[in-house]
Amino acid sequence: MTSDTTQTERVATQTDPVATETEALRELIDQARVVLWDFDGPICRLFAGHAADKVADDLVEWLEGRGLHSLLTDEERRSLDPHIVLRAVDRRHPGSDLVDELEERLTQEELRATSTAMPTPYADPLIRTWTAVGRRLAIATNNSPSVVRAYLENRGLTTCFAPHIYGRTPQLSHLKPDPHCLNRALNAMGSAPAAALMIGDTPSDLLAAKAAGVPFLGYARNEYKEKLLRDAGATMITASLEPILNVLRTRP
């Protein structure tokens, strides 16, 4: 006969929310043969020492200095996201020299930012561990692929991803939330969407994953990021990459 104490312990274990979350995370990780990473956020804070909102402001000022104030709505000007500015101009002047020059300016700002980018806690060991246990990794990002390669080289992580780095292309309508970069990664790696996992920190990452049919794990380094993801429909969110690393290290 099972003692009351043992029964109580078993019930507590079964209803422990931390244990439940860990088990759900383990299932998500175990089914993934390919892991698709967003870059700025889950892998590093690219603009940690080179604020993204300042980059967005500089792009807006550059446009206004050329008499192109009307290209952006008030909301787009206030967005503080350089990719929103870039997409907005591309929608109104697709494939133009203006868009090419604006994109090049953004790429140069991103490249400058790599020297002060802050690695996301536990990202480096997690990437190396996931690679060591035989999973294939790719990056699917709205950042320039040259920027991603520069950062990975500085961190000694290039071999964990190369050649599967899928970033911004001249076709800016393919930026997430369009699933283009995810589909490129899946096709190149010969992976079914259900056998992959996307790690991202923005609603656009979630929407791209949904469109590609890829399971999604949200990374939210603060409550604001978590709220944005939950409001967009994310159900699996982690505030740290450490639990993922712990799951990998305790796999049989």
Side-chain angles (χ1 to χ4, degrees):
M1 179 178 292
T2 305
S3 70
D4 291 342
T5 300
T6 303
Q7 288 178 356
T8 300
E9 289 174 348
R10 182 176 297 166
V11 170
T13 299
Q14 290 173 345
T15 58
D16 181 357
V18 174
T20 301
E21 285 185 13
T22 300
E23 185 56 34
L25 184 61
R26 187 180 301 278
E27 290 179 6
L28 197 62
I29 291 170
D30 285 347
Q31 73 184 9
R33 296 295 177 265
V34 166
V35 184
L36 311 180
W37 292 72
D38 179 40
F39 173 65
D40 186 9
I43 291 180
C44 69
R45 288 178 61 193
L46 178 60
F47 291 103
H50 191 81
D53 54 356
K54 177 63 165 60
V55 174
D57 283 344
D58 287 348
L59 294 180
V60 171
E61 289 179 8
W62 182 81
L63 288 169
E64 292 179 346
R66 280 150 184 76
L68 299 172
H69 178 88
S70 61
L71 276 183
L72 302 175
T73 66
D74 289 341
E75 183 178 357
E76 289 163 349
R77 276 190 288 274
R78 294 193 301 265
S79 70
L80 306 182
D81 183 341
H83 290 117
I84 288 179
V85 175
L86 187 60
R87 277 194 296 256
V89 176
D90 182 65
R91 281 195 301 272
R92 282 135 203 168
H93 293 277
S96 65
D97 290 344
L98 173 65
V99 172
D100 289 346
E101 187 168 354
L102 195 65
E103 193 277 333
E104 178 58 26
R105 293 180 70 85
L106 176 55
T107 296
Q108 292 305 314
E109 292 291 350
E110 289 174 338
L111 283 170
R112 276 192 284 275
T114 59
S115 63
T116 53
M118 291 288 291
T120 298
Y122 302 100
D124 287 19
L126 176 56
I127 289 166
R128 291 191 174 97
T129 301
W130 233 328
T131 301
V133 299
R135 297 302 183 259
R136 293 181 297 155
L137 310 184
I139 291 177
T141 178
N142 283 347
N143 295 111
S144 166
S146 62
V147 172
V148 176
R149 293 188 190 99
Y151 176 84
L152 294 179
E153 185 174 346
N154 288 339
R155 303 295 301 175
L157 296 171
T158 303
T159 57
C160 295
F161 292 96
H164 300 296
I165 297 169
Y166 305 97
R168 192 168 62 238
T169 71
Q171 191 69 31
L172 297 179
S173 61
H174 287 162
L175 292 174
K176 290 177 288 185
D178 189 283
H180 179 73
C181 59
L182 281 75
N183 288 333
R184 287 177 66 204
L186 294 173
N187 290 337
M189 303 173 87
S191 173
L197 174 65
M198 175 74 191
I199 300 178
D201 71 330
T202 66
S204 64
D205 294 325
L206 171 63
L207 294 173
K210 283 184 175 180
V214 174
F216 180 79
L217 174 59
Y219 166 69
R221 63 182 175 84
N222 55 40
E223 292 182 357
Y224 174 70
K225 287 277 192 179
E226 180 179 357
K227 184 178 186 306
L228 289 178
L229 286 171
R230 291 205 184 279
D231 288 349
T235 56
M236 284 290 294
I237 300 174
T238 183
S240 168
L241 299 181
E242 185 181 17
I244 309 174
L245 183 59
N246 289 340
V247 166
L248 287 178
R249 285 177 170 172
T250 57
R251 291 176 77 247

